[in-house]
Amino acid sequence: MGAARSSQVVAAAAAVVVVAGLVFAYFQRPDHTDSGQSGDGGGMRCGTTVCQSIVGRSVGGDMVELLGGTGGGRIRVTGQTGTFIFEMTTAEAGATINGDSLLCRDAAVGVCLVRGPHNNKVLGEVLVRKNGTWSRIQTTYLASAAYLGLHDVDEDGVADIVAAQLACGGQCRNAFVQVFSALGPDIGCTQPAPAREQLPGWPTPAPKLSQLRPCANT
């Protein structure tokens, strides 16, 4: 009986990590996604209406703004590095964009996360300022346990993307944290917890690097 129960626990933990890889593989975006266009942004349209400013954050000498309209949105960067305009893929995917949707961390490499709730999950996209230029990571992030944020988990001076995930394809309460580097691949995953409220640092999960292990590949 004890041996059987132990095997079930190990299998469940393995399944949790596999789900992490599956979730993000599904949301990979093609390389032809708009990577930034120079322009003054005047008279822009977001979906079917004129863009309206939703929220802005200062990142060094730049201002990052989320602009929204009916059925679409844009991200506008203005300031010392110039002007960059990106389509907001999270808005196009149906996420709700509001005053809490923009997180930015300034450093030698600046990172901004655009996030919004969608169907009890959170979708997100990331912009990076490096060597005086803003660009977008060609990935749409999905947090199935409804938390997506920024935290320098590996302590390299660059904010990482932290996502809370549900295990079991969302059919159980088990949850774990998956961490991505803004400059590279996955950093790792935490061990599963019985519920998302028991994740390290909840309600803003901020695991230590020592709490992570490799995430399984799909």
Side-chain angles (χ1 to χ4, degrees), residues 47-63:
T48 59
T49 57
V50 174
C51 295
Q52 300 292 325
S53 180
I54 298 173
V55 62
R57 297 281 185 266
S58 176
V59 186
D62 293 329
M63 174 60 69

Side-chain angles (χ1 to χ4, degrees), residues 20 55 65 73-74 85-86 88 96 108 111-112 116 122 148 153 164 166 175 185 199 203:
V55 62
E65 292 180 275
R74 295 178 186 265
I85 300 171
F86 303 85
M88 195 189 307
T96 300
V111 179
C112 284
V122 177
L148 192 61
V153 176
L166 291 177
L199 293 173

Side-chain angles (χ1 to χ4, degrees), residues 118-138:
H118 180 61
N119 292 338
N120 297 318
K121 302 175 178 63
V122 177
L123 299 180
E125 59 191 297
V126 171
L127 269 62
V128 173
R129 185 202 62 212
K130 186 178 181 181
N131 299 325
T133 299
W134 285 90
S135 60
R136 177 170 44 200
I137 297 177
Q138 303 295 333

Side-chain angles (χ1 to χ4, degrees), residues 72-98:
R74 295 178 186 265
I75 309 166
R76 178 172 62 189
V77 182
T78 55
Q80 292 180 353
T81 59
T83 299
F84 300 84
I85 300 171
F86 303 85
E87 294 291 336
M88 195 189 307
T89 58
T90 47
E92 292 176 353
T96 300
I97 305 301
N98 54 39

Side-chain angles (χ1 to χ4, degrees), residues 24-183:
F24 280 89
Y26 179 79
F27 276 87
Q28 292 295 310
R29 293 189 64 84
D31 290 338
H32 65 255
T33 300
D34 179 21
S35 61
Q37 299 176 344
S38 296
D40 60 14
M44 288 188 300
R45 298 187 71 82
C46 293
T48 59
T49 57
V50 174
C51 295
Q52 300 292 325
S53 180
I54 298 173
V55 62
R57 297 281 185 266
S58 176
V59 186
D62 293 329
M63 174 60 69
V64 180
E65 292 180 275
L66 302 188
L67 310 175
T70 303
R74 295 178 186 265
I75 309 166
R76 178 172 62 189
V77 182
T78 55
Q80 292 180 353
T81 59
T83 299
F84 300 84
I85 300 171
F86 303 85
E87 294 291 336
M88 195 189 307
T89 58
T90 47
E92 292 176 353
T96 300
I97 305 301
N98 54 39
D100 190 45
S101 291
L102 181 60
L103 295 177
C104 293
R105 299 290 182 267
D106 189 23
V109 176
V111 179
C112 284
L113 168 67
V114 180
R115 62 184 182 179
H118 180 61
N119 292 338
N120 297 318
K121 302 175 178 63
V122 177
L123 299 180
E125 59 191 297
V126 171
L127 269 62
V128 173
R129 185 202 62 212
K130 186 178 181 181
N131 299 325
T133 299
W134 285 90
S135 60
R136 177 170 44 200
I137 297 177
Q138 303 295 333
T139 300
T140 297
Y141 297 92
L142 168 68
S144 60
Y147 175 82
L148 192 61
L150 295 176
H151 181 67
D152 186 8
V153 176
D154 58 8
E155 299 183 346
D156 65 351
V158 181
D160 304 306
I161 299 95
V162 178
Q165 309 288 12
L166 291 177
C168 315
Q171 300 303 307
C172 67
R173 288 177 52 82
N174 291 353
F176 60 97
V177 177
Q178 187 168 23
V179 182
F180 295 85
S181 169
L183 302 178

